[in-house]
């Protein structure tokens, strides 16, 4: 079906939105300047980030129905207002020296904008790329991962030249403009849309398009075992990834003697693998399937966590850390496409929102496990064994969900054969 929209510009619009809200991960740039300027403690300042991250997943679930009802454009504009005003409001909070207002603006308001902005373009993007769902969502979610890489140096430079208050004003306005520009172009495709050449390829047999297992509403989806298997898999994957991200620097210094400068470099490279894993794993999934990719995530992580306690080589240790982080990023980028495969695109945004509650919960579970175990044992090694057990559960679930999907597909194939036979007999 023809359209006057270019799907690659739709993807670019989604990336613009994700880049803006992904700036949330650059928060550490503000901590010291705010503390020095306002006299607030680093712990008090960090509360705002904790609130924002927690609300990111919760508000994604809360706004899922809103996104489906009002479409990506209105939803993205809501994100532009909430996130942009939240960031600019943080500047006003520092100007009048109000920690409470800072928590409300940077924490609550930006957190709400983060959640709705994250899911707003995704379901639309999946519909524009029926042939390459993984690549499409991978590009957008990679934008989220790359947001901090761009924002961190820009924010640091602005803080040095105009101060932290003006920096929040400038960036808040910039985020509002960038998200609004993305929202102005993004729109769902016409019903039955296929990219140029795809219809002919399908007719000729050059391409075979796999049917979605079902077209379910969000309420119907949460009643299926596949939803809860995927939810648990995501929770474990997120918990493992955030655990590693939260302690990578001190862990590498303690276990393999990495220098402080080397650990800082590792953290920077982790950001690249987080973003690159989102695109790379998502693109691969278009060829080998989402169930296979998730199985690979857990196999890789089990091997990594088994090997890490005994590794003394600095390079090999870092390679395993980077592989875990790539699986963490890849889980987020594969999730929307996996949802489309299993539950269809009818209410993908709402279902995606429900599954992103694992983002908030995993952000609590992962760091809590590592901090409590380290406090009790003064060692990171027991943490690895705990996650070997958790990821083994996730691997079993990934095998079961793969078997369940194949069972449903075989039933569809048998039904098609029966219908074909009946038509042949009747003719």
């Amino acid at each position: 079906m023809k359209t006057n929209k270019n799907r690659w510009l739709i993807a670019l619009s989604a990336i613009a939105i994700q880049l803006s809200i992904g700036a949330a991960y650059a928060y550490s740039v503000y901590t010291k300047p705010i503390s020095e300027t306002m006299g607030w403690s680093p712990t008090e300042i960090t509360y705002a980030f904790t609130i924002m991250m927690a609300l990111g997943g919760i508000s994604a679930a809360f706004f899922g129905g809103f996104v489906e009802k009002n479409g990506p454009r209105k939803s993205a504009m809501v994100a532009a207002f909430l996130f942009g005003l939240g960031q600019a409001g943080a500047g006003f909070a520092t100007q009048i020296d109000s920690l409470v207002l800072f928590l409300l603006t940077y924490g609550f308001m930006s957190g709400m904008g983060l959640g709705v902005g994250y899911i707003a373009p995704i379901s639309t993007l999946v519909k524009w790329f029926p042939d390459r769902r993984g690549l499409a969502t991978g590009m957008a979610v990679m934008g989220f991962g790359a947001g901090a890489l761009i924002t961190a140096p820009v924010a640091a430079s602005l803080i040095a030249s105009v101060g932290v208050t003006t920096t929040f004003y400038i960036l808040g306005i910039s985020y509002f403009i960038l998200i609004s520009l993305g929202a102005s172009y993004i729109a769902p495709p016409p019903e039955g849309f296929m990219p140029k050449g795809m219809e002919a390829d399908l007719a000729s047999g050059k391409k075979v398009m796999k049917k979605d297992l079902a077209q379910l509403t969000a309420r119907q989806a949460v009643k299926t075992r596949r939803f809860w298997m995927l939810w648990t898999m995501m929770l474990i994957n997120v918990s493992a990834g955030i655990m590693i991200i939260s302690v990578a620097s001190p862990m590498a210094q303690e276990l393999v003697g990495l220098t402080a400068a080397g650990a800082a470099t590792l953290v920077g490279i982790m950001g690249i693998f987080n973003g690159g894993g989102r695109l790379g794993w998502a693109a691969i999934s278009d060829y080998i399937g989402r169930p296979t990719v998730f199985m690979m995530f857990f196999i890789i992580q089990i091997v990594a966590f088994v090997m890490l306690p005994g590794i003394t080589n600095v390079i090999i240790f870092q390679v395993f850390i980077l592989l875990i982080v790539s699986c963490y990023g890849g889980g987020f980028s594969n999730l929307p496409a996996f949802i489309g495969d299993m539950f269809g695109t009818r209410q993908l945004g709402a279902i995606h929102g429900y599954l992103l509650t694992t983002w908030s919960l995993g952000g609590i579970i992962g760091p809590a496990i590592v901090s409590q175990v380290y406090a009790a044992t003064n060692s990171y090694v027991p943490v690895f064994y705990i996650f070997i057990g958790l990821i083994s559960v996730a691997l079993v679930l990934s095998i079961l969900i793969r078997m369940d999907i194949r069972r449903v597909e075989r039933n569809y194939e048998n039904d098609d054969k029966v219908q074909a036979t009946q038509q042949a007999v009747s003719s």
Side-chain angles (χ1 to χ4, degrees), residues 48 160 164 177 309 371:
V164 68
I177 293 171
S371 61

Side-chain angles (χ1 to χ4, degrees), residues 225-312:
R225 61 176 175 268
R226 285 190 294 276
F227 175 91
W228 291 107
M229 285 192 285
L230 182 56
W231 188 92
T232 306
M233 287 158 52
M234 276 297 299
L235 177 62
I236 293 172
N237 196 57
V238 170
S239 299
I242 293 182
M243 181 278 291
I244 286 291
I245 290 170
S246 68
V247 296
S249 178
M251 179 187 288
Q253 292 179 65
E254 179 176 319
L255 294 181
V256 293
L258 197 64
T259 64
T265 301
L266 171 62
V267 171
I269 297 173
M270 284 167 58
I272 296 172
F273 271 74
N274 185 0
R278 292 168 190 251
L279 180 60
W281 283 116
I284 291 170
S285 74
D286 284 329
Y287 298 96
I288 65 175
R290 260 63 73 175
T292 303
V293 165
F294 269 87
M295 286 174 59
M296 291 175 66
F297 288 161
F298 302 130
I299 291 170
I300 288 170
Q301 290 180 82
I302 288 172
V303 172
F305 281 113
V306 167
M307 297 292 292
L308 281 170
I311 292 174
T312 56

Side-chain angles (χ1 to χ4, degrees), residues 99-400:
L99 177 62
V100 173
L101 183 60
F102 185 77
L103 297 178
L104 289 172
T105 53
Y106 198 100
F108 282 93
M109 189 170 287
S110 292
M112 296 287 279
L114 174 64
V116 67
Y118 189 87
I119 63 172
I122 297 297
S123 60
T124 299
L125 207 53
V126 168
K127 295 171 185 175
W128 278 102
F129 288 82
D131 53 334
R132 308 199 63 182
R133 283 178 173 174
L135 175 65
T137 56
M139 287 188 295
V141 179
M142 183 189 69
F144 182 82
L149 296 176
I150 297 172
T151 299
V154 172
S157 177
L158 285 171
I159 290 169
S161 59
V162 298
V164 68
T165 295
T166 306
T167 296
F168 276 126
Y169 284 140
I170 292 172
L171 291 180
I173 293 169
S174 299
Y175 298 144
F176 177 81
I177 293 171
L178 194 56
I179 297 173
S180 297
L181 287 173
S184 68
Y185 189 81
I186 200 166
E191 189 71 28
F193 167 78
M194 286 187 186
K196 187 177 180 180
M198 183 178 175
E199 194 169 348
D201 288 341
L202 290 173
S204 65
K206 186 178 179 180
K207 282 187 179 180
V208 178
M209 186 174 176
K210 291 183 68 175
K211 294 180 180 179
D212 298 333
L213 290 188
Q215 290 291 332
L216 304 182
T217 65
R219 286 187 178 182
Q220 291 170 331
V222 297
K223 294 178 182 178
T224 66
R225 61 176 175 268
R226 285 190 294 276
F227 175 91
W228 291 107
M229 285 192 285
L230 182 56
W231 188 92
T232 306
M233 287 158 52
M234 276 297 299
L235 177 62
I236 293 172
N237 196 57
V238 170
S239 299
I242 293 182
M243 181 278 291
I244 286 291
I245 290 170
S246 68
V247 296
S249 178
M251 179 187 288
Q253 292 179 65
E254 179 176 319
L255 294 181
V256 293
L258 197 64
T259 64
T265 301
L266 171 62
V267 171
I269 297 173
M270 284 167 58
I272 296 172
F273 271 74
N274 185 0
R278 292 168 190 251
L279 180 60
W281 283 116
I284 291 170
S285 74
D286 284 329
Y287 298 96
I288 65 175
R290 260 63 73 175
T292 303
V293 165
F294 269 87
M295 286 174 59
M296 291 175 66
F297 288 161
F298 302 130
I299 291 170
I300 288 170
Q301 290 180 82
I302 288 172
V303 172
F305 281 113
V306 167
M307 297 292 292
L308 281 170
I311 292 174
T312 56
N313 184 282
V314 173
I315 300 298
I316 296 175
F317 184 89
Q318 292 180 86
V319 167
F320 278 119
I321 293 294
L322 294 173
L323 283 172
I324 293 170
V325 172
S326 80
C327 293
Y328 165 76
F332 283 112
S333 62
N334 275 279
L335 180 60
F338 207 172
I339 294 168
D341 295 344
M342 292 197 297
F343 307 117
T345 58
R346 183 179 174 185
Q347 289 194 352
L348 193 150
I351 300 169
H352 190 201
Y354 289 153
L355 283 161
L356 283 177
T357 54
T358 58
W359 182 13
S360 297
L361 194 55
I364 297 170
I365 292 174
I369 289 175
V370 69
S371 61
Q372 291 182 22
V373 171
Y374 188 81
T377 65
N378 200 33
S379 172
Y380 289 110
V381 172
V383 178
F384 297 141
Y385 298 130
I386 291 172
F387 276 94
I388 288 170
L390 290 173
I391 296 166
S392 295
V393 171
L395 176 60
V396 171
L397 288 174
S398 70
I399 294 170
L400 291 175

